C-alpha cells in the first residue's frame, strides 16, 4: 500500500533536502522491490509452551480469529453486492469491484478499521498481523472472482469456524535492512542451542554443530528438559537488553499488541535430540541469513494440555535437505541410460524400461509391477474396523447430546404407539436412532457445527484425526520409497498417462485410498525432477496405450480384460505392462502439452524385433517381489472375509470349472514340501511362511520354470 505525505520546508543541506528548500518525507518507494526467485523450504519447529504461555497464545489465536471472521463477513457481503450489480459489472467490472471495495487494499483498510474500533484486539494483535490476515482473506476472494487456467472458480468465501483456524501468518523479515523483522521473529543460533542443552554423555571434543552432525545416528546430543524455561534477551548497547544480541538457544519472540502490558511472548524451540537429524538441522538453522518468515501454527493433539500443540513454520530461502546417501542414489539414477513408461491404475503400478538407444548390448528390457502385500491389506482391514467402531461411538455421543435434533426410528415410534395404546406412560428415549430433522430438500434444520459435544467426544475425534494424519504421512513416505526404487532401476525419463485420479475416487474410492495412486504419481514426478529427468504426461485420447500393441495393431479391450493378446504379432502379456512398455515410445510436439503426445510405433516395432523373446519374457514376468492380495471383505467381492484355507460352503459352479489364473499380474505360485507359498519373479522369488517373508535368490532358469502361464488378473 503506497502512501503520500505532504512536504515540509527544511534546509537544503539536511538529509533528504532539496534545492528548493523543501524536505521530502515518506512517499512512494523508488527502489526496486526485493525479490527471490530461488527455491524455498518450510521447516516445522516444535515450541515448548507452559500453561501461562499457552493461555496467552490461546488469546492471540482467538483475537486473530475474531478479526479474520469480521473481514470474511465483510468480504462476503461485498462479494454478494458485486454479483448483484449485473449491469455495472458488465459495463466496467474492475471499476465496480473498486467501488464495492473488493480489492486487496480495501480489505486491508477494513482490517485496520476493525482493529482500531475494537477495545481489546489491540492488546493481542498488531497491525502487521491484521494486514497479512486480510491478505489471506483476499486470496480466497480472488480465487472466487477470477477463474483459473481451466476456467473454474472457487466458491463464495465463507466464514470459518474456530476449530478450523490453525494458522496465523507472519510477516517476512527485511533482507535489505538489518534488524527489521516484525511479528514473529527467530533469535538465537544452533551453536547456542547446543551449548545451552548439551547432553552430559556427549564427548568433550564435540563442541560445534558440524562435529555433532558427524556423530553416529542414535548418539544423544541434546538433553532438553520437559519444561524448557524461556531464555532472556542478551544485554546490548548501553546496557539495554536486546533480542538482536541474543546468541543462546533458539527462541521465537512476538512483541505483542500495541496496547499490551504483559510483555513479549517468548517461545523456546525444541529440537531433535539425536545425532541423526543434525545434518538436517545444520542445513536449515545454521544460516540465519536465509530465514525469511515465520507462521505460528497450532495443531490438535489429544495428549497436549488444552488439546493443542504449537509450532513455528519457518520459511527458509533454500531447497530441501538431501542426505549424502540420497545424493549418491540420485547421481547413479541420473547415469542410468534408460527410457520407460509407467501405467498407473487403482490397484497397481507397472513400469517397463528399455535402453535409450534400443541396443541389446546396453541391457535388456526390465518390467516391474507394484501391488499391496497381504500384510498391508490385513492392516488396512484392521484400520477400517477401528474406524467403523469409532464412528459409531462418535455418532452415539452426538445423538445422545442433541436428542431434539433427531427423529425416532420406526421401531422406537411403534414402541411408543403400543405403550400409548396400552395406557402406559411414555418412556424417555436416551438415544434417538432416526434421521436428523431436515427440511423438504433434505437439508438439516440445524448445522452439525452447532451441536453440543462432550469432552470425550472431542478427545476421541482428535485422537482419530491424529492417527489419520500419521497414516497419511506413512503413505507419503511409502510413495517416496517406491519412487526412489523405480528411478534407481528404470532411470528418470519416464512417461505416464495424463488421467484425472480424482475421477477414480468416484468409482473406486476405497481402493484408491488404500493404494494412493495420486501420491505415487506425485512422488515419482518429484523424484524425476530432483534427479534432473522428467515424468512426461501423455493424453489418453491421442495415445490410447491400453488399446494398442507394440507392433502398432489396435487391440480393443474393456476394463475387465486384464490380458493383452495381439492377433497380429501373437504377443500375450499383462495389459498394464504392455501399456507401460508403449509409454516408453511416446513423443511430443510440445513437451508441456499432453495433448501433443503420440506413440512412435516404428520404434516400438523395432524394439519388438530387436529384443524378441526377451521382451515377451520380461512382460510375462515382473521383477517386483509381491504377493497376491488375500480375499477380504469389501475388496473385490461381496460378503465377509473368511480364514485362509477355508473353502466356501457352496462354491459357484462356474468358478469350479474356471481355470485358475497364475500369470503376470501377481506371479505364479507353487508349494514346497514344507507348505510354503512361492511367488515367482524373473530374478528372485519371495517365499512366504505364515506372517514371515524372506527374499530368496533364484536362478533365472529356475524362475522361468516356476512360471506356469501368462494369464493376467
Amino acid at each position: 500500500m503506497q502512501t503520500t505525505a505532504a512536504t515540509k520546508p527544511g534546509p537544503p543541506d539536511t538529509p533528504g533536502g532539496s534545492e528548493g528548500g523543501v524536505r521530502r518525507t515518506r512517499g512512494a518507494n523508488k527502489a526496486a522491490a526485493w525479490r527471490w526467485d530461488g527455491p524455498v523450504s518450510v521447516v516445522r519447529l516444535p515450541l515448548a509452551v507452559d500453561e501461562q504461555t499457552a493461555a496467552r497464545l490461546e488469546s492471540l489465536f482467538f483475537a486473530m480469529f475474531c478479526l479474520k471472521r469480521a473481514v470474511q463477513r465483510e468480504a462476503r457481503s461485498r462479494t454478494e453486492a458485486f454479483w448483484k450489480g449485473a449491469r455495472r459489472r458488465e459495463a466496467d467490472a474492475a471499476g465496480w469491484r473498486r467501488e464495492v471495495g473488493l480489492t486487496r487494499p480495501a480489505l486491508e483498510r477494513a482490517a485496520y478499521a476493525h482493529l482500531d474500533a475494537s477495545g481489546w484486539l489491540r492488546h493481542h494483535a498488531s497491525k502487521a498481523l491484521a494486514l497479512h490476515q486480510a491478505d489471506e482473506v483476499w486470496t480466497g476472494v480472488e480465487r472466487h472472482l477470477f477463474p483459473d487456467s481451466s476456467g473454474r472458480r472457487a466458491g463464495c468465501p465463507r466464514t470459518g469456524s474456530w476449530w478450523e483456524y490453525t494458522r496465523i501468518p507472519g510477516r517476512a523479515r527485511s533482507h535489505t535492512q538489518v534488524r527489521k523483522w516484525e511479528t514473529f521473529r527467530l533469535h538465537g543460533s544452533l551453536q547456542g542451542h547446543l551449548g545451552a542443552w548439551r547432553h552430559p554423555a556427549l564427548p568433550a571434543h564435540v563442541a560445534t554443530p558440524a562435529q555433532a552432525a558427524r556423530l553416529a545416528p542414535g548418539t544423544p546430543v541434546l538433553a532438553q528438559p520437559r519444561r524448557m524455561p524461556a531464555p532472556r534477551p542478551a544485554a546490548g548497547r548501553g546496557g539495554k537488553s536486546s533480542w538482536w544480541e541474543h546468541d543462546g538457544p533458539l527462541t521465537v519472540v512476538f512483541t505483542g499488541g500495541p496496547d499490551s502490558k504483559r510483555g513479549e511472548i517468548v517461545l523456546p524451540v525444541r529440537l531433535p535430540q539425536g545425532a541423526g537429524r543434525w545434518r538436517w538441522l545444520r542445513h536449515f538453522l545454521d544460516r540465519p541469513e536465509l530465514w525469511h518468515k515465520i507462521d505460528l501454527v497450532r495443531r490438535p493433539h489429544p495428549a497436549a494440555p488444552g488439546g493443542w500443540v504449537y509450532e513455528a513454520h519457518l520459511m527458509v530461502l533454500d531447497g530441501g535437505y538431501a542426505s549424502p546417501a540420497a545424493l549418491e542414489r540420485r547421481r547413479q539414477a541420473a547415469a542410468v541410460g534408460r527410457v520407460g513408461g509407467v501405467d498407473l491404475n487403482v490397484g497397481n503400478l507397472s513400469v517397463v524400461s528399455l535402453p535409450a538407444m534400443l541396443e541389446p548390448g546396453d541391457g535388456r528390457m526390465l518390467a516391474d509391477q507394484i501391488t499391496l502385500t497381504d500384510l498391508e491389506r490385513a492392516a488396512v482391514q484392521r484400520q477400517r474396523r477401528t474406524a467403523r467402531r469409532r464412528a459409531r461411538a462418535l455418532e452415539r455421543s452426538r445423538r445422545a447430546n442433541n436428542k431434539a435434533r433427531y427423529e425416532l426410528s420406526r421401531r422406537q415410534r411403534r414402541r411408543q404407539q403400543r405403550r400409548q395404546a396400552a395406557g402406559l406412560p411414555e418412556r424417555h428415549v436416551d438415544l434417538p436412532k432416526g434421521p436428523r430433522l431436515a427440511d423438504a430438500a433434505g437439508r438439516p434444520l440445524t448445522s452439525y457445527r452447532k451441536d453440543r459435544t462432550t469432552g470425550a467426544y472431542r478427545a476421541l475425534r482428535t485422537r482419530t484425526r491424529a492417527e489419520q494424519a500419521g497414516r497419511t504421512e506413512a503413505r507419503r513416505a511409502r510413495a517416496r520409497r517406491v519412487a526412489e526404487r523405480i528411478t534407481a532401476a528404470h532411470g528418470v525419463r519416464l512417461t505416464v498417462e495424463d488421467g484425472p485420479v480424482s475421477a477414480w475416487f468416484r468409482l473406486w474410492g476405497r481402493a484408491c485410498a488404500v493404494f494412493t495412486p495420486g501420491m505415487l504419481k506425485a512422488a515419482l514426478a518429484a523424484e524425476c525432477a530432483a534427479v534432473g529427468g522428467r515424468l512426461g504426461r501423455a493424453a489418453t485420447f491421442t495415445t490410447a496405450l491400453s488399446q494398442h500393441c507394440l507392433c502398432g495393431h489396435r487391440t480393443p479391450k474393456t476394463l475387465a480384460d486384464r490380458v493383452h493378446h495381439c492377433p497380429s504379432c501373437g504377443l500375450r502379456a499383462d495389459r498394464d505392462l504392455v501399456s507401460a512398455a508403449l509409454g516408453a515410445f511416446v513423443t511430443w510436439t510440445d513437451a508441456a502439452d499432453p495433448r501433443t503426445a503420440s506413440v512412435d510405433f516404428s520404434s516400438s516395432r523395432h524394439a519388438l524385433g530387436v529384443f524378441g523373446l526377451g521382451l515377451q519374457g520380461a512382460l510375462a514376468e515382473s521383477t517386483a517381489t509381491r504377493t497376491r492380495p488375500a480375499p477380504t471383505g469389501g475388496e473385490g467381492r461381496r460378503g465377509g472375509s473368511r480364514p485362509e484355507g477355508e473353502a466356501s460352503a457352496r462354491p459357484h459352479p462356474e468358478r469350479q470349472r474356471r481355470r485358475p489364473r497364475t500369470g503376470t499380474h501377481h506371479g505364479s505360485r507353487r508349494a514346497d514340501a514344507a507348505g510354503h507359498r512361492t511367488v515367482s519373479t524373473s530374478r528372485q522369488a519371495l517365499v512366504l511362511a505364515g506372517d514371515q517373508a524372506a527374499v530368496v535368490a533364484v536362478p533365472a532358469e529356475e524362475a522361468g520354470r516356476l512360471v506356469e502361464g501368462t494369464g493376467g488378473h
Side-chain angles (χ1 to χ4, degrees), residues 469-482:
R471 286 194 292 268
T472 302
E473 290 296 329
R475 288 168 181 167
R476 288 197 182 101
R478 166 181 164 271
R480 288 193 294 267
R481 292 194 300 268
V482 169

Side-chain angles (χ1 to χ4, degrees), residues 349 351 368 370 475-488 515 520 523-524 527:
L349 184 147
V351 188
D368 196 357
I370 299 169
R475 288 168 181 167
R476 288 197 182 101
R478 166 181 164 271
R480 288 193 294 267
R481 292 194 300 268
V482 169
E484 292 169 1
R485 291 198 296 266
I486 290 176
T487 54
F515 190 67
L520 291 172
L524 188 57
E527 186 66 20

Side-chain angles (χ1 to χ4, degrees), residues 2 74 141 160 190 194 306 316 447 455 520 589 597 600:
Q2 304 289 346
E74 195 158 347
V141 175
L190 199 59
L194 177 61
V316 182
S447 176
L520 291 172
T589 305
D600 185 4

Side-chain angles (χ1 to χ4, degrees), residues 40-90:
V40 296
S41 304
V42 177
V43 188
R44 295 189 298 178
L45 302 177
L47 302 176
V49 179
D50 55 13
E51 290 79 3
Q52 183 178 2
T53 308
R56 292 195 63 184
L57 289 179
E58 196 76 3
S59 301
L60 174 62
F61 268 92
F62 183 72
M64 293 303 300
F65 166 70
C66 293
L67 180 62
K68 182 179 181 179
R69 182 174 57 181
V71 179
Q72 283 177 331
R73 288 174 174 172
E74 195 158 347
R76 186 178 181 90
S77 63
R78 295 180 182 183
T79 304
E80 292 175 353
F82 171 76
W83 290 115
K84 288 180 179 179
R87 294 182 179 179
R88 298 289 306 276
R89 190 175 66 250
E90 293 175 359

Side-chain angles (χ1 to χ4, degrees), residues 179 234-242 245:
R179 298 188 176 185
R237 299 177 181 177
K240 295 182 179 180
S241 59
S242 172
E245 307 292 340

